[in-house]
């Protein structure tokens, strides 16, 4: 009955998916009752849909409800509980409540560790999530330790050609980039790029994100030509994947504009920045979105620079 939820997610039609989940919830509740795994799965799907819509209060409500039912069915130490605790942590993470998110992620990690042991891909994934939480809090030492721990697990369990291993390499590289150790960061990013190219090809969003990381490292090393090449390749992929009026493409153009600003090519920077503003308007991106703020500030800066030239 719930095969359609997969179709809607593939189509990225979150609104239609949510409508279907809510209808499905009532049917499953009436036919199976609340203490049934299928009903719980629907509750979780509704939470995920709300999370993808950035409706955090609603997502949290459904995830919390899912947690309570799961505990009644499976007890407090079942892997399903770990999964829903991780989802709750994701809501708090998206809301910027990183300490609260960390509490749930650590609870989830304890269950996964006791269930599967240290060397399991599920354990590596939750360690990644905890590391990312520390990274967002600016605790790079703890983040790096966890990212290395995850990388070691994945290397032993999944091998060095697995896409999840590439995620760890990118995570480690990002920390070294924050530390200002750009050569080490680039080393990890380039290793990730080779894996992503083999796994996904050169027209995939994952590959584009890794190119963006490489471009950032080269920019920080003041190798602006190489950085620009990476940013342009990233932008081309985002354009092909999402079209000319998507925020992801706007973000890629913003990086190009920022780079042109650094090398004092203000006219080119202004052209790309105007494209960013046009896309954000066409895509109806909320005005409080961070990219709006950056693009508006960039426009004001470039206007001053150009007028003084």
């Amino acid at each position: 009955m719930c095969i359609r939820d997969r179709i809607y997610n593939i189509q990225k039609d979150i609104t239609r998916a949510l409508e279907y989940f809510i209808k499905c919830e009532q049917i499953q509740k009436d036919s199976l009752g609340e203490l049934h795994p299928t009903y719980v799965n629907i509750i979780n799907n509704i939470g995920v849909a709300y999370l993808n819509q950035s409706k955090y209060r609603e997502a949290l409500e459904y995830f919390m409800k899912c947690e309570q039912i799961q505990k009644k069915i499976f007890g407090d130490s079942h892997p399903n509980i770990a999964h829903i605790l991780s989802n709750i942590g994701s809501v708090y993470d998206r809301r910027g409540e990183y300490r609260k998110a960390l509490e749930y992620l650590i609870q989830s990690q304890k269950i996964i560790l006791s269930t599967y042991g240290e060397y399991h891909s599920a354990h590596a994934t939750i360690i990644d999530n905890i590391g990312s939480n520390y990274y967002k809090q600016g605790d790079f030492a703890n983040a790096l330790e966890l990212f290395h721990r995850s990388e070691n697990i994945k290397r032993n369990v999944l091998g060095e050609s697995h896409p999840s291993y590439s995620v760890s390499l990118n995570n480690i590289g990002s920390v070294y980039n924050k530390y200002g150790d750009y050569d080490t960061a680039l080393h990890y990013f380039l290793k990730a790029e080779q894996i992503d190219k083999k796994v996904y090809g050169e027209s995939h969003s994952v590959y584009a994100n890794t190119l963006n990381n490489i471009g950032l490292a080269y920019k920080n090393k003041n190798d602006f030509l190489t950085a620009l090449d990476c940013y342009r390749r990233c932008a081309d992929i985002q354009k092909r994947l999402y079209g000319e009026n998507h925020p992801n493409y706007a973000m890629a153009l913003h990086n190009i504009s920022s780079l042109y600003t650094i090398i004092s090519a203000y006219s080119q920077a202004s052209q790309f920045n105007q494209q960013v503003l046009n896309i954000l308007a066409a895509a109806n991106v909320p005005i409080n979105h961070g990219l709006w703020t950056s693009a508006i500030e960039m426009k004001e800066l470039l206007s001053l620079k150009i007028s003084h030239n």
Side-chain angles (χ1 to χ4, degrees):
M1 180 177 182
C2 295
I3 294 175
R4 287 174 58 194
D5 59 0
R6 299 175 186 173
I7 298 173
Y8 287 144
N9 279 328
I10 292 171
Q11 294 174 334
K12 301 184 185 301
D13 191 344
I14 300 171
T15 301
R16 289 179 65 194
L18 181 58
E19 291 173 356
Y20 170 69
F21 291 148
I22 291 173
K23 291 179 181 177
C24 193
E25 176 201 1
Q26 191 58 51
I27 295 171
Q28 299 288 11
K29 183 178 180 180
D30 292 342
S31 61
L32 301 173
E34 291 191 358
L35 297 180
H36 192 282
T38 301
Y39 176 73
V40 176
N41 185 54
I42 291 295
I43 295 297
N44 182 70
N45 287 343
I46 293 173
V48 171
Y50 276 127
L51 180 61
N52 289 333
Q53 289 184 330
S54 300
K55 295 182 178 179
Y56 304 129
R57 181 180 60 80
E58 292 87 347
L60 192 60
E61 176 185 343
Y62 275 91
F63 287 149
M64 290 288 194
K65 182 177 180 180
C66 184
E67 179 198 9
Q68 293 304 313
I69 298 174
Q70 295 269 35
K71 285 183 176 179
K72 290 179 182 178
I73 298 173
F74 300 110
D76 292 344
S77 301
H78 194 275
N80 286 7
I81 303 298
H83 177 71
I84 197 63
L85 289 172
S86 181
N87 284 349
I88 294 170
S90 296
V91 178
Y92 285 115
D93 181 85
R94 294 276 193 92
R95 285 167 52 166
E97 298 179 49
Y98 300 126
R99 293 184 182 277
K100 191 71 174 177
L102 186 60
E103 293 177 13
Y104 282 94
L105 292 174
I106 289 175
Q107 288 183 58
S108 176
Q109 189 250 349
K110 288 178 179 178
I111 296 172
I112 290 172
L113 182 61
S114 65
T115 302
Y116 300 112
E118 173 79 10
Y119 283 89
H120 192 280
S121 59
H123 189 224
T125 298
I126 193 65
I127 289 174
D128 275 336
N129 292 341
I130 295 172
S132 295
N133 180 282
Y134 280 122
Y135 182 90
K136 291 172 184 177
Q137 293 190 64
D139 187 346
F140 302 126
N142 271 322
L144 186 60
E145 179 185 350
L146 288 165
F147 289 152
H148 273 301
R149 183 178 172 189
S150 173
E151 180 264 343
N152 181 58
I153 295 170
K154 292 176 183 178
R155 180 160 32 82
N156 283 278
V157 174
L158 302 173
E160 295 187 18
S161 299
H162 195 279
S164 186
Y165 184 69
S166 172
V167 173
S168 288
L169 296 175
N170 268 310
N171 287 341
I172 293 168
S174 295
V175 177
Y176 281 115
N177 193 60
K178 284 290 186 181
Y179 276 147
D181 188 348
Y182 306 127
D183 287 329
T184 303
L186 191 58
H187 167 75
Y188 282 98
F189 290 149
L190 289 172
K191 285 180 67 177
E193 188 244 355
Q194 291 303 311
I195 297 170
D196 293 340
K197 184 188 293 186
K198 290 179 181 178
V199 173
Y200 302 109
E202 297 185 36
S203 299
H204 194 280
S205 59
V206 171
Y207 184 72
N209 290 336
T210 300
L211 279 178
N212 185 72
N213 288 342
I214 294 170
L216 177 61
Y218 277 119
K219 184 184 79 170
N220 290 333
K221 283 168 58 70
N222 296 325
D223 186 346
F224 300 126
L225 287 178
T226 306
L228 183 59
D229 177 66
C230 290
Y231 283 157
R232 283 187 175 278
R233 289 166 65 195
C234 176
D236 287 343
I237 296 170
Q238 302 284 23
K239 182 179 178 180
R240 289 197 301 270
L241 288 174
Y242 302 110
E244 295 185 350
N245 290 316
H246 194 279
N248 286 6
Y249 181 53
M251 188 68 236
L253 295 178
H254 175 70
N255 290 337
I256 295 173
S257 177
S258 298
L259 189 56
Y260 274 126
T261 302
I262 291 173
I263 62 176
S264 302
Y266 301 127
S267 179
Q268 292 96 319
S270 181
Q271 291 173 19
F272 280 97
N273 191 63
Q274 187 58 51
Q275 282 185 262
V276 173
L277 291 166
N278 293 343
I279 294 169
L280 294 177
N284 295 315
V285 175
I287 195 64
N288 62 349
H289 191 282
L291 190 53
W292 264 115
T293 302
S294 298
I296 291 170
E297 291 176 352
M298 180 73 74
K299 182 175 183 177
E300 294 172 352
L301 172 65
L302 292 170
S303 295
L304 289 172
K305 294 290 186 180
I306 292 171
S307 66
H308 290 157
N309 282 350

